Amino acid sequence: VSAAAATDPRHAPLLSWLERWGTELGPVTLGKSSVGAGYGAFASRDVTEGELLFSVPSTACVGLYDACGDADVGEALARLVVKGQGGATVALAGLLAKEWLCAGESGPRGPYLAMLPWDAAWPPEAEQEQEHCLWWSEAQVDALEGSPAYSDAVGIRDEVALAAKVIKSLIGASVRRVYKERGEPPWAVWRADDDIERAVRGAFVSILTRSFTQEDGGDEEKRLVPLLDMLQHAAEPNVRHVQVSDGAAEGGGGAEGGGRQRVVVTARRPIAAGEELLNSYDGGELEPATFLTRFGFVPGRGVGEFVDSIREQDKGRLPFGFRIG
């Protein structure tokens, strides 16, 4: 990974971590997005159609295999997966929450986890600017009534609340043990369940807004792909990404090995120097209401503008004075 790619020193730990895992980084820089909230990636020079932008080994991705292989809670998470009915997503959220609470930025995936939006105020620099219905107040959710976004938001919040209860029962002992080993005060240990609940919400926000579906043997698995998940959305993207085999022997060897699969991101068309790299989140399939509850924004419209349009449809039922942000 080129040191020149770290245009913002806050990205240096992430880029160093990606390099250790065997990531190939082409003409790409990271910085404040020009088209959306939070971070984005940009072409550092003119890029030709089909040129490699970056390539991430599967070993750097975070998915179901990692959750089920966790030394402390992997077996319990695997039992969730066997039950089906969303168990795989809950297991992945459980792993993310556990690693963040137990190891934070110093863990094996710490530099990557530190870039994820764990709550509305993380990271402290406030450049993530992630919005999501899982962080809204009840009044904010109620303001969506009259739109398909309302039932979707309520459903997501209910499902995550149930998942948090399950995850607390599975990772609670591990989190409290680590808190004690770190010398946390007794009240912090007692409040571990509250920390887990917040971390689970943050994990689900990352999964809903950032995960990619991997098809393997007819099965679909959601996983997080570092760097690719930083790209902002566009109806007409300028990148494409595919999963390819590179062979275990050729895998690129970072500190952890190269892996048999890589996610390869190339230019879909010529990209000018300084132009932001953009991906399509939905392939043009989602309605604005679903985009809002899944990704936290409405393409081409502000959240407030979208909510105001709902008010216009039903001024009598919606509460006055709703604001997000």
Side-chain angles (χ1 to χ4, degrees), residues 22-33:
T23 296
E24 299 176 42
L25 188 66
V28 176
T29 60
L30 306 178
K32 186 75 170 63
S33 173

Side-chain angles (χ1 to χ4, degrees), residues 104-167:
E105 299 179 51
S106 62
R109 280 181 276 263
Y112 171 61
L113 296 184
M115 299 297 292
L116 299 181
W118 288 101
D119 58 45
W122 182 269
E125 295 85 358
E127 284 203 8
Q128 194 62 258
E129 299 178 0
Q130 176 71 59
E131 181 65 82
H132 204 274
C133 67
L134 287 173
W135 293 327
W136 294 350
S137 67
E138 292 294 335
Q140 288 174 312
V141 175
D142 288 344
L144 298 174
E145 191 172 357
S147 160
Y150 175 74
S151 58
D152 201 28
V154 171
I156 290 172
R157 287 159 65 92
D158 288 347
E159 289 175 8
V160 172
L162 178 60
K165 292 180 180 179
V166 173
I167 292 172

Side-chain angles (χ1 to χ4, degrees), residues 17-87:
W17 178 82
L18 286 168
E19 182 178 26
R20 293 197 300 272
W21 284 86
T23 296
E24 299 176 42
L25 188 66
V28 176
T29 60
L30 306 178
K32 186 75 170 63
S33 173
S34 61
V35 300
Y39 303 122
F42 302 80
S44 59
R45 59 166 172 77
D46 290 344
V47 176
T48 60
E49 181 179 352
E51 185 174 348
L52 176 70
L53 295 165
F54 56 90
S55 170
V56 182
S58 59
T59 48
C61 303
V62 189
L64 189 58
Y65 179 84
D66 303 286
C68 296
D70 184 82
D72 289 334
V73 298
E75 290 186 12
L77 295 177
R79 286 194 290 271
L80 272 182
V81 177
V82 172
K83 293 180 180 178
Q85 297 180 335

Side-chain angles (χ1 to χ4, degrees), residues 10-315:
R10 286 171 292 187
H11 298 134
L14 173 66
L15 294 173
S16 296
W17 178 82
L18 286 168
E19 182 178 26
R20 293 197 300 272
W21 284 86
T23 296
E24 299 176 42
L25 188 66
V28 176
T29 60
L30 306 178
K32 186 75 170 63
S33 173
S34 61
V35 300
Y39 303 122
F42 302 80
S44 59
R45 59 166 172 77
D46 290 344
V47 176
T48 60
E49 181 179 352
E51 185 174 348
L52 176 70
L53 295 165
F54 56 90
S55 170
V56 182
S58 59
T59 48
C61 303
V62 189
L64 189 58
Y65 179 84
D66 303 286
C68 296
D70 184 82
D72 289 334
V73 298
E75 290 186 12
L77 295 177
R79 286 194 290 271
L80 272 182
V81 177
V82 172
K83 293 180 180 178
Q85 297 180 335
T89 303
V90 176
L92 180 55
L95 173 72
L96 293 170
K98 173 183 175 288
E99 285 199 3
W100 181 242
L101 293 175
C102 291
E105 299 179 51
S106 62
R109 280 181 276 263
Y112 171 61
L113 296 184
M115 299 297 292
L116 299 181
W118 288 101
D119 58 45
W122 182 269
E125 295 85 358
E127 284 203 8
Q128 194 62 258
E129 299 178 0
Q130 176 71 59
E131 181 65 82
H132 204 274
C133 67
L134 287 173
W135 293 327
W136 294 350
S137 67
E138 292 294 335
Q140 288 174 312
V141 175
D142 288 344
L144 298 174
E145 191 172 357
S147 160
Y150 175 74
S151 58
D152 201 28
V154 171
I156 290 172
R157 287 159 65 92
D158 288 347
E159 289 175 8
V160 172
L162 178 60
K165 292 180 180 179
V166 173
I167 292 172
K168 279 188 280 190
S169 71
L170 299 179
I171 73 172
S174 296
V175 173
R176 284 187 285 272
R177 184 185 70 247
V178 170
Y179 278 18
K180 291 177 181 177
E181 291 172 353
R182 288 201 305 235
E184 298 281 356
W187 55 87
V189 179
W190 300 335
R191 292 201 300 262
D193 279 357
D194 294 336
D195 292 345
I196 293 172
E197 186 171 340
R198 284 191 294 271
V200 168
R201 282 200 301 272
F204 268 95
V205 169
S206 290
I207 293 170
L208 286 168
T209 63
R210 292 168 169 257
S211 66
F212 296 84
T213 300
Q214 172 190 3
E215 295 186 6
D216 186 7
D219 295 328
E220 291 188 349
E221 173 199 341
K222 289 188 179 297
R223 64 176 179 170
L224 297 175
V225 182
L227 201 55
L228 178 58
D229 64 7
M230 291 182 69
L231 270 55
Q232 297 285 345
H233 168 76
E236 297 183 2
N238 57 12
V239 307
R240 58 166 48 93
H241 55 90
V242 296
Q243 179 175 286
V244 301
S245 299
D246 65 357
E250 304 172 5
E256 314 297 335
R260 294 180 179 273
Q261 304 283 333
R262 301 182 76 85
V263 177
V264 177
V265 182
T266 57
R268 184 181 290 268
R269 58 164 175 79
I271 302 174
E275 185 177 349
E276 186 160 355
L277 306 181
L278 302 171
N279 190 24
S280 176
Y281 290 3
D282 71 329
E285 297 178 355
L286 295 182
E287 294 295 325
T290 306
F291 230 102
L292 174 61
T293 54
R294 300 303 166 87
F295 297 107
F297 68 96
V298 180
R301 304 174 67 181
V303 173
E305 178 188 352
F306 179 77
V307 174
D308 287 342
S309 70
I310 299 173
R311 282 204 191 95
E312 289 299 319
Q313 295 171 14
D314 192 353
K315 293 182 177 179

